Amino acid sequence: DGLVASLGANGVTSNYRYDLAPYTWECAKGLRNGQRALFTQPQMPIKCAGAPQKAMYLTADHLRKQGVQADIRFAPPGPSMFGIPFYAKALDKVVADYGITPMFGHELIKVDGAAQKATFRVSDDQGSREVEESFDMLHVVPPQSAPDFLRNGPLVDSAGWVEVDRETLQHTRYPHIFALGDCSNTPNSKTAAAVRGQAPIAAHNVLSAVEDRADMTRYDGYASCPLTTSHERVMLAEFGYDGKIMPSFPADPRKPRRFYWWIKQSFLPWLYWRMLKGNLGPDWHRTRSFPESLPTAIRP
């Protein structure tokens, strides 16, 4: 409530609207000692679950380099920094290193830009209630859904997403229909890497259905979320269904690395454009095991 009218002024911004990304940077650079920056995240699923945190970490990194001590807070509706505990524990250290305050169980429901007030629905052991927080900067990630022509049609589940088998991508009620990407109800992170993994599965299985073959292939839920923890390092979170850790490289993926920054900055944009033309590029992800203890020297 009030978000659309508030965006682009009084410190209210969202990188989910591309034209506001420059304003996000302007707001971040304008923060001063003691001022408060709130970064929100709605209920899942959303496009790129790491994007709300990326903007926050880049802001925190800039302020640290400038010697500015602002009050940065992260407000997701869930109980942790990330849906995969393996990565959530590492992100806890990143947040602590920056001095960011997590506000778990907070769902943004109203924005008053002129008054610089944000209202949250808070759910915890005490039940559900509404609380108001002041801000000098508010980065909002809006709730997301399938387009109305899908959400209001016969193909979706009770939550409004196209209902498919999570492995074959075939519709559970209409076997001649397949779906992939952000609008399907597959329980994976909605990322370009996920689509890259789903595309050949869907293509093969459509042909199998058309030709009445029984050789359908299966999608393992793979998704990749390059979490930009600073202007120089990225934590490359790769995972599949049921929380399986599926990195492309043997190094512990919980440690932010400069090499992953290069991948994010230089390789992935090149790969995206090839993907749109059908050239999916290499795929090295696999299920790997790592010690439960965090690697040493985790830092943004």
Side-chain angles (χ1 to χ4, degrees):
D1 184 27
L3 175 60
V4 174
S6 299
L7 281 168
N10 300 306
V12 182
T13 186
S14 176
N15 283 358
Y16 275 77
R17 219 179 76 182
Y18 76 93
D19 58 312
L20 289 176
Y23 185 59
T24 301
W25 181 225
E26 180 183 327
C27 293
K29 291 190 296 183
L31 288 169
R32 297 294 179 260
N33 288 331
Q35 290 189 321
R36 178 178 295 177
L38 298 178
F39 292 82
T40 74
Q41 180 175 299
Q43 297 285 355
M44 294 296 185
I46 61 173
K47 294 173 183 284
C48 188
Q53 295 185 44
K54 295 175 190 179
M56 177 175 67
Y57 297 140
L58 289 172
T59 297
D61 182 50
H62 170 75
L63 295 179
R64 171 182 284 181
K65 291 175 179 175
Q66 299 301 313
V68 176
Q69 295 183 335
D71 178 13
I72 302 177
R73 304 190 179 194
F74 181 54
S80 64
M81 291 300 301
F82 204 71
I84 309 296
F86 178 81
Y87 294 108
K89 293 177 182 177
L91 291 170
D92 286 342
K93 291 197 68 173
V94 173
V95 165
D97 188 82
Y98 277 129
I100 296 169
T101 302
M103 297 166 55
F104 298 130
H106 281 60
E107 182 179 10
L108 182 68
I109 59 174
K110 182 179 179 181
V111 178
D112 186 338
Q116 292 189 304
K117 301 287 185 181
T119 303
F120 293 88
R121 181 181 294 113
V122 179
S123 301
D124 54 24
D125 295 340
Q126 303 174 19
S128 180
R129 62 190 185 282
E130 293 184 9
V131 298
E132 188 177 80
E133 299 282 349
S134 61
F135 63 83
D136 297 283
M137 173 184 176
L138 175 66
H139 182 269
V140 180
V141 178
Q144 294 164 37
S145 70
D148 287 346
F149 77 89
L150 284 174
R151 188 171 52 168
N152 298 328
L155 302 180
V156 298
D157 60 13
S158 59
W161 307 95
V162 180
E163 188 174 7
V164 297
D165 181 279
R166 75 176 199 169
E167 295 180 336
T168 65
L169 308 180
Q170 185 177 32
H171 203 283
T172 56
R173 290 177 284 115
Y174 302 99
H176 61 294
I177 291 176
F178 291 76
L180 68 160
D182 295 348
C183 294
S184 72
N185 72 344
T186 52
N188 59 275
S189 185
K190 306 305 182 183
T191 69
V195 176
R196 183 247 173 267
Q198 292 172 353
I201 302 296
H204 176 92
N205 290 349
V206 165
L207 290 174
S208 292
V210 168
E211 298 170 4
D212 199 25
R213 303 196 316 262
D215 63 338
M216 286 194 177
T217 55
R218 298 184 178 278
Y219 169 56
D220 59 11
Y222 172 74
S224 174
C225 188
L227 289 153
T228 310
T229 57
S230 72
H231 284 84
E232 300 170 340
R233 289 180 172 82
V234 163
M235 182 185 296
L236 189 56
E238 297 176 272
F239 46 90
Y241 285 145
D242 305 318
K244 290 182 179 178
I245 309 306
M246 295 181 163
S248 298
F249 306 99
D252 195 315
R254 292 171 293 181
K255 185 173 182 177
R257 303 176 190 272
R258 290 178 183 269
F259 175 62
Y260 298 155
W261 170 269
W262 174 84
I263 290 176
K264 169 76 170 173
Q265 182 185 46
S266 301
F267 176 70
L268 292 184
W270 172 82
L271 179 61
Y272 291 156
W273 291 109
R274 287 177 56 87
M275 286 169 55
L276 291 177
K277 297 178 181 180
N279 301 314
L280 300 183
D283 184 0
W284 301 309
H285 85 272
R286 69 181 68 172
T287 302
R288 304 178 194 264
S289 297
F290 297 92
E292 185 175 342
S293 58
L294 292 172
T296 59
I298 286 185
R299 66 184 183 88

